[in-house]
Amino acid sequence: LPAFDPMDPAGIDDLLSADELAVRDSVRHLCAERVDPYVADWFERGEIPDIRGLTKELGALGVLGMHLEGYGCAGMSATEYGLACLELEATDSGLRSLVSVQGSLAMYAIWRWGSEDQKETWLPRMAAGDAIGCFGLTEPDQGSDPGGMRTRARRDAGGDWVLDGRKMWITNAPVADVAVVWAQTSDDPADIRGFVVPTSTSGFSAPEIKHKMSLRASVTGEIVLDGVRLPADAVLPDVTGLRGPLSCLNEARYGIVWGAMGAARSAFASALSYAGEREQFGRPISGFQLTQEKLANMAVEYTKGVMLALHLGRRKDAGRLRPEQVSLGKLNNVREALEICRTARTILGANGISLEYPVIRHMNNLESVLTYEGTTEMHTLVLGQALTGQPAFR
Ligand code: FAD
């Protein structure tokens, strides 16, 4: 029999192909070399120094828009993309957010709904990490219910678009070169369109949001649109309505199903190793039944979460993944990852609250992950509707 691996208790690695393992290893290697040694410091300082250089390195590795075909994208499978998300988030949810927003939100929106010209202009540069993208849907007064957005796009007499409004909590916005911004083009809530906005356009600004206690190694900003004038062809031509942004969110949520388990793995590994070394009452705390129960439950939930992610990944690769199934995965995996981090924190005692260990950083990060890309409550209602046929959103 193969040896028991505490970091893969059920032997899930056996279900992965050599190519999939190679992708995972290459991302793990970049994280170990380039980010792991520094990320606690970045979190403490609330910044990613040289985010452009880091983004280029991620581009060179092929992880930006890695599951998209053509236009300089790597064209890998959904399962490979998921494995990459797990590794990135085992380093920090902020790093995974950078990659998710770039590939699954900004690039996917252009790739799926953009014109040939928009694709050729932006996708190769974004895949290479030469241009950073962001995705503006949430507003100060519209979060879970984006259908009531106030950002407006109107056409002037010459056919140009003019955008006015405000977006809030937008990952990467202060450092982005291009923003995919969703705006309403009439008073009819069905008339929501996406716009590809170079951030250098006059009237566009993206002040940084400070004082976050979560996802500190990630840049977050507002987007202020003050008479932003765009040519007629700045609109994403192929989609109208909430279907546009929701299709992108579904891609990013899929990555979170995997990513959350990365944060969980890092916290679990930290707790397991700490429990073996820390002695109280004359023996390692790993020898106490109460600690073992915690570790056993963490191993069980981690294993179940990765199995679920892999199953959903295989469905996505087969073209059979439904949005409700992504909701099921995000709901379970973020919830259980948070629980794993909280339990790991108790095992580390006072050290559990220190940035010398990764646990509290992951735990705080996951509080954002619980809320963005659809809150836990929203995914519960999606699943509730799928189960009962009754929408309970309003
Ligand atoms: P609200 O919608 O006001 O919800 C508050 C609470 O009420 C939640 O618990 C919610 O579940 C609950 N609630 C709301 N409606 C119901 C209901 N019908 N039934 C039961 N409960 C309900 N957005 C972007 O567009 N782009 C980004 O790049 C981006 N990055 C982000 C990065 C970070 C770090 C964070 C924290 C957020 C980011 N967001 C981004 C915003 C995120 O998507 C929103 O915060 C999220 O959609 C929730 O919206 P809200 O914060 O306005 O909460």
Side-chain angles (χ1 to χ4, degrees), residues 121-170:
T121 303
W122 289 108
L123 294 180
R125 290 176 61 201
M126 294 172 86
D130 290 333
I132 297 178
C134 69
F135 181 91
L137 178 65
T138 305
E139 301 189 349
D141 295 324
Q142 303 297 142
S144 301
D145 181 19
M149 69 175 61
R150 300 204 184 148
T151 299
R152 286 285 185 277
R154 60 180 171 81
R155 298 199 84 159
D156 72 2
D160 283 355
W161 290 99
V162 181
L163 267 60
D164 285 284
R166 230 174 114 204
K167 298 289 175 181
M168 191 73 184
W169 294 112
I170 307 306

Side-chain angles (χ1 to χ4, degrees), residues 101 105 135-140 142-145 168-171 212 214-215 220 368 371-378 381 392-394:
V101 168
L105 293 180
F135 181 91
L137 178 65
T138 305
E139 301 189 349
Q142 303 297 142
S144 301
D145 181 19
M168 191 73 184
W169 294 112
I170 307 306
T171 303
K212 289 181 297 170
S214 168
L215 228 63
T220 317
S368 288
T371 286
Y372 71 22
E373 305 280 353
T375 66
T376 298
E377 292 79 10
M378 287 300 116
L381 295 178
F393 294 91
R394 45 175 58 83

Side-chain angles (χ1 to χ4, degrees), residues 165-194:
R166 230 174 114 204
K167 298 289 175 181
M168 191 73 184
W169 294 112
I170 307 306
T171 303
N172 295 351
V175 294
D177 302 284
V178 60
V180 172
V181 172
W182 300 92
Q184 220 156 289
T185 55
S186 79
D187 289 336
D188 182 349
D191 287 338
I192 290 171
R193 305 292 301 264

